[in-house]
Amino acid sequence: MSVTIRDVAHKANVSVSTVSRALSAPNLVRQQTRDRVIAAADELGYRPNTAARSLITGKTGILGIVVTDLGNPFYTGILKGVQARARQDAYSVLFADGEEDPATEESLVRTMAKQVDGLVVCAPTMSDQQLRDLAELTPMVLVNRHVPEIPAVLMDSAGGMRQVVDHLAALGHERIAYLGGPRGAWSDQERRAGLLAAAERQHIGVAEFGPFPPRFDGGIQGADLALAAEVTAIVAYNDLMAFGTLSRLRSRGVRVPTDVSVVGFDDLVFSATSAPPLTTVAMPTEAAGRAAVHLLLARLAESGAGAPATAQRLDTYLIVRFTTSPPGAPVSVSAHH
Amino acid sequence: MSVTIRDVAHKANVSVSTVSRALSAPNLVRQQTRDRVIAAADELGYRPNTAARSLITGKTGILGIVVTDLGNPFYTGILKGVQARARQDAYSVLFADGEEDPATEESLVRTMAKQVDGLVVCAPTMSDQQLRDLAELTPMVLVNRHVPEIPAVLMDSAGGMRQVVDHLAALGHERIAYLGGPRGAWSDQERRAGLLAAAERQHIGVAEFGPFPPRFDGGIQGADLALAAEVTAIVAYNDLMAFGTLSRLRSRGVRVPTDVSVVGFDDLVFSATSAPPLTTVAMPTEAAGRAAVHLLLARLAESGAGAPATAQRLDTYLIVRFTTSPPGAPVSVSAHH
DNA sequence: GCCCATCATGCAAACGATTGCTGCAACTGT
DNA sequence: ACAGTTGCAGCAATCGTTTGCATGATGGGC
């Protein structure tokens, strides 16, 4: 059927062990035989059987990634980065979608654990304890989730929020609203904390709202609340919500950014082309994917569980577009009719 | 280290063969022993070693999917469907991104072919011949690409375009523009052909433009061209372009849909929330992913290469929102100042 | 009470690679 | 010329399953 190492050995007039070594530990065989083997191998189109190999080595050459919800464009960047970096080291990547359900996530991880050399798990909805248990099963690195014992790469949302607040402060805003996302999410906690801390430092007042569903409609709901709170700027948990806010503001006759500034978070593809283009914070998703794999590979290489669980932080960047400006008159909806 | 079938056998006081059979061919062992085995198995937390299994069976329990560009939200739907359906049958899925490069795509497929039981390839940019060669390596089904010898699931873009034209005709439009996508793409050929055929049948005039890059800026460029052609409706190759068109129209003071109707294609998440919400054609991406896996699995089961290469067509649906209406005055830009 | 189906179970041979150990040759230094 | 070293190649065990074949037990029909 398929061409095996034995065929190559026969063709090159050597034993199978020699073939094996010629291909994976080049300096253990004489140059001359090695060339002969290699010639035979690719003349026959030999590709080692990965199942046989991993049976004995215990390594599969496969990495796994599980995300909470692929529907969210945010994750596709990570996925891209993971795959690109993995490919660099000739790893394949198994993919699974947790569908925002902790139970599904856990079962997915358990299944995968058997088939992969390591796993990257994105912003899981599971508990810390579940995560710790799972981490026993296979080398694992987290993305945008922090559990002390597990290595992770985190995107510095707090830092992003600091930039947002500094930007707003520089513009002269003195009272802003924060439209929060799901309380459970690590991201929301980070963003909220970052915003609050920076606001205090800058002596800016914050009206907090939420939690809202982190989607378009959440932003609509939040917009009304924020308007009533007489703020000059609205910071949304993410771009999706910011779009909802923008939409609601327009339909209520509030001009952006003249009457009120709006800022999002994530820098989705559409953020550059919304009307008006949205000021937001760019997350280095692809870089995070790469970094996660890099970290994972490093751990695999040293293979000692001895290394401490490092958490790597990636910088985020504020992208100023056209939804922020110095505040005009205090927001008063009735004034615009 | 890890718990093997031998451990289970020992604990249940049977031979390894019995354990193997109890777990995979239940009716070959007595009910009573079977229960005993199963009890022992999950008490020990036994998970069969997939490498060992596939070494002997030749099956890996893994399916592969390669997409042209994960950045395009269109593919994530397919990916989701693929993964969900695969999971139903306890298959895992290997994922790879071709980065819109035929060479990368090919190398990816070749690598994967060794490790998977079957492959679904989405809208590949490779040539028919390359695809045929690759199809020799492993069972394969195409999505949104037609090659006679290879089974495929196609989304009926032509049918969608027919619905668009019928809708526009019913509204009273008599002259429309088509903003084309990349000429090479199967999708563009289908959409263009569907639109042209339906237009002829309805006695509607069509001004064709393009090819444009299938993105926001392509739509901007196209908008200007279409306006100059004095049409009452603009049909874009996809939603991304339609957004660009919408944006350009607004900034030129052309009202949508009063002055000109706009329709997109794909029904992205954002299409429902654009301003105004976009009339577009929904592609059953997730269903397509499921269907592709279903087809693949069916082929694997019958395992005979005898079956003909069926091509399955999935219906698309026009979603009428707020960018289409009966035509007002013929488009004349200067009239709006 | 005997023989023949029938059913449940065990034995052992694969599957295709990797790798520790062994053996042989050639070479070095004295 | 001989012992010791080194370098290269082969033998065979091993990884954890599945599965064809053989065997033992059970039961039913006569």
Side-chain angles (χ1 to χ4, degrees):
Chain A
M1 188 82 226
S2 170
V3 30
T4 81
I5 200 177
R6 219 173 301 272
D7 302 326
V8 178
H10 186 255
K11 173 147 200 162
N13 260 319
V14 293
S15 72
V16 293
S17 8
T18 301
V19 175
S20 176
R21 280 190 273 257
L23 298 176
S24 47
N27 47 354
L28 285 186
V29 307
R30 198 168 31 154
Q31 177 71 29
Q32 177 189 335
T33 29
R34 191 184 148 216
D35 291 345
R36 196 147 35 94
V37 168
I38 291 185
D42 50 42
E43 185 168 344
L44 259 37
Y46 168 69
R47 315 285 309 179
N49 178 316
T50 55
R53 173 181 302 197
S54 56
L55 179 54
I56 184 129
T57 61
K59 303 280 158 204
T60 59
I62 298 180
L63 262 26
I65 175 172
V66 0
V67 302
T68 27
D69 173 29
L70 188 62
N72 188 333
F74 172 76
Y75 292 108
T76 65
I78 297 180
L79 196 42
K80 247 187 139 149
V82 164
Q83 199 254 327
R85 184 62 182 78
R87 199 163 120 78
Q88 252 178 49
D89 279 44
Y91 277 90
S92 301
V93 5
L94 265 186
F95 157 82
D97 181 343
E99 291 166 354
E100 306 196 43
D101 174 36
T104 308
E105 264 175 7
E106 171 164 11
S107 117
L108 245 20
V109 171
R110 280 191 192 282
T111 319
M112 274 199 175
K114 301 285 151 189
Q115 327 191 30
V116 302
D117 292 346
L119 211 50
V120 358
V121 183
C122 292
T125 54
M126 289 180 272
S127 73
D128 280 21
Q129 190 51 50
Q130 273 178 302
L131 249 13
R132 267 188 292 260
D133 291 346
L134 259 25
E136 300 286 306
L137 268 40
T138 186
M140 171 164 145
V141 2
L142 263 23
V143 172
N144 260 17
R145 169 74 182 259
H146 185 58
V147 175
E149 293 82 358
I150 309 175
V153 2
L154 307 170
M155 294 182 247
D156 187 12
S157 293
M161 273 303 185
R162 186 174 34 68
Q163 294 178 59
V164 168
V165 172
D166 290 353
H167 169 62
L168 257 18
L171 254 24
H173 292 267
E174 293 173 346
R175 180 165 169 73
I176 67 180
Y178 177 62
L179 272 28
R183 289 290 168 155
W186 180 82
S187 298
D188 182 65
Q189 290 160 17
E190 280 283 299
R191 291 175 193 184
R192 177 187 310 275
L195 179 135
L196 258 23
E200 177 160 12
R201 188 165 41 74
Q202 295 274 12
H203 306 296
I204 285 187
V206 177
E208 276 188 78
F209 300 102
F212 301 106
R215 296 185 308 263
F216 191 82
D217 25 331
I220 294 181
Q221 200 188 140
D224 292 337
L225 261 20
L227 281 186
E230 306 261 319
V231 299
T232 58
I234 303 177
V235 179
Y237 166 69
N238 68 12
D239 281 0
L240 255 23
M241 287 179 60
F243 292 147
T245 300
L246 246 26
S247 163
R248 183 61 163 187
L249 256 22
R250 175 169 33 239
S251 66
R252 285 192 56 183
V254 179
R255 290 165 306 173
V256 173
T258 317
D259 300 328
V260 54
S261 292
V262 173
V263 3
F265 215 108
D266 281 353
D267 190 32
L268 303 183
V269 231
F270 292 97
S271 307
T273 57
S274 61
L278 184 68
T279 292
T280 186
V281 176
M283 304 281 274
T285 53
E286 202 162 329
R290 301 185 97 94
V293 172
H294 194 79
L295 225 171
L296 199 49
L297 257 26
R299 301 221 123 207
L300 294 184
E302 62 192 37
S303 83
T310 46
Q312 185 177 350
R313 290 192 102 83
L314 261 33
D315 284 341
T316 56
Y317 300 97
L318 175 68
I319 299 188
V320 177
R321 289 201 269 249
F322 301 97
T323 55
T324 45
S325 74
V331 174
S332 165
V333 181
S334 52
H336 295 284
H337 284 276
Chain B
M1 187 86 223
S2 168
V3 31
T4 80
I5 201 176
R6 221 172 300 272
D7 303 327
V8 178
H10 187 256
K11 172 147 200 162
N13 259 320
V14 292
S15 71
V16 293
S17 8
T18 302
V19 175
S20 176
R21 278 188 276 256
L23 297 177
S24 47
N27 46 354
L28 283 187
V29 307
R30 197 167 35 148
Q31 177 70 30
Q32 178 190 332
T33 30
R34 191 185 148 215
D35 291 346
R36 195 147 35 94
V37 168
I38 292 184
D42 49 44
E43 186 168 344
L44 259 37
Y46 168 70
R47 317 284 310 178
N49 177 317
T50 54
R53 170 178 301 186
S54 56
L55 178 54
I56 185 133
T57 60
K59 304 280 159 204
T60 58
I62 298 180
L63 263 27
I65 175 171
V66 0
V67 302
T68 26
D69 173 30
L70 188 63
N72 187 333
F74 172 77
Y75 291 108
T76 66
I78 297 181
L79 195 43
K80 246 188 141 150
V82 163
Q83 199 254 327
R85 182 65 182 76
R87 199 164 119 79
Q88 249 178 50
D89 280 44
Y91 277 90
S92 301
V93 5
L94 266 187
F95 157 82
D97 180 341
E99 291 165 354
E100 306 196 46
D101 174 36
T104 308
E105 264 175 8
E106 171 162 12
S107 116
L108 245 19
V109 171
R110 281 191 191 281
T111 321
M112 274 199 176
K114 301 285 150 189
Q115 327 193 29
V116 302
D117 293 346
L119 211 49
V120 358
V121 182
C122 290
T125 54
M126 288 180 272
S127 73
D128 280 23
Q129 191 51 49
Q130 274 178 302
L131 249 13
R132 266 188 292 260
D133 292 346
L134 259 23
E136 300 286 305
L137 267 40
T138 186
M140 170 163 145
V141 1
L142 262 24
V143 173
N144 261 17
R145 170 74 182 257
H146 185 59
V147 175
E149 293 82 356
I150 309 175
V153 2
L154 307 169
M155 294 180 247
D156 188 11
S157 293
M161 273 303 185
R162 188 175 31 67
Q163 295 178 59
V164 168
V165 173
D166 289 354
H167 169 62
L168 258 16
L171 253 25
H173 293 267
E174 293 173 344
R175 179 164 171 73
I176 67 181
Y178 176 62
L179 272 29
R183 289 290 166 155
W186 180 84
S187 298
D188 182 65
Q189 291 160 16
E190 279 283 298
R191 291 174 193 184
R192 177 187 310 274
L195 179 136
L196 258 23
E200 177 160 14
R201 188 166 40 73
Q202 294 274 13
H203 306 296
I204 283 186
V206 177
E208 275 187 79
F209 299 102
F212 300 106
R215 296 185 307 263
F216 190 82
D217 25 330
I220 294 180
Q221 198 187 142
D224 292 336
L225 262 20
L227 280 184
E230 305 261 319
V231 299
T232 57
I234 302 176
V235 179
Y237 166 70
N238 68 14
D239 281 0
L240 254 22
M241 286 178 61
F243 291 146
T245 300
L246 245 29
S247 163
R248 183 61 164 185
L249 257 22
R250 176 169 34 236
S251 65
R252 287 193 52 182
V254 180
R255 291 164 305 173
V256 173
T258 316
D259 300 328
V260 54
S261 292
V262 172
V263 3
F265 214 108
D266 281 354
D267 191 31
L268 303 183
V269 231
F270 293 96
S271 308
T273 57
S274 62
L278 184 68
T279 292
T280 186
V281 176
M283 304 281 275
T285 53
E286 202 163 328
R290 302 185 97 92
V293 172
H294 194 79
L295 224 172
L296 200 49
L297 258 25
R299 300 221 125 206
L300 293 185
E302 62 192 39
S303 81
T310 47
Q312 186 177 348
R313 288 193 104 81
L314 260 34
D315 284 341
T316 55
Y317 300 98
L318 175 68
I319 299 188
V320 178
R321 288 201 268 248
F322 302 97
T323 55
T324 47
S325 73
V331 173
S332 165
V333 180
S334 52
H336 294 283
H337 285 277

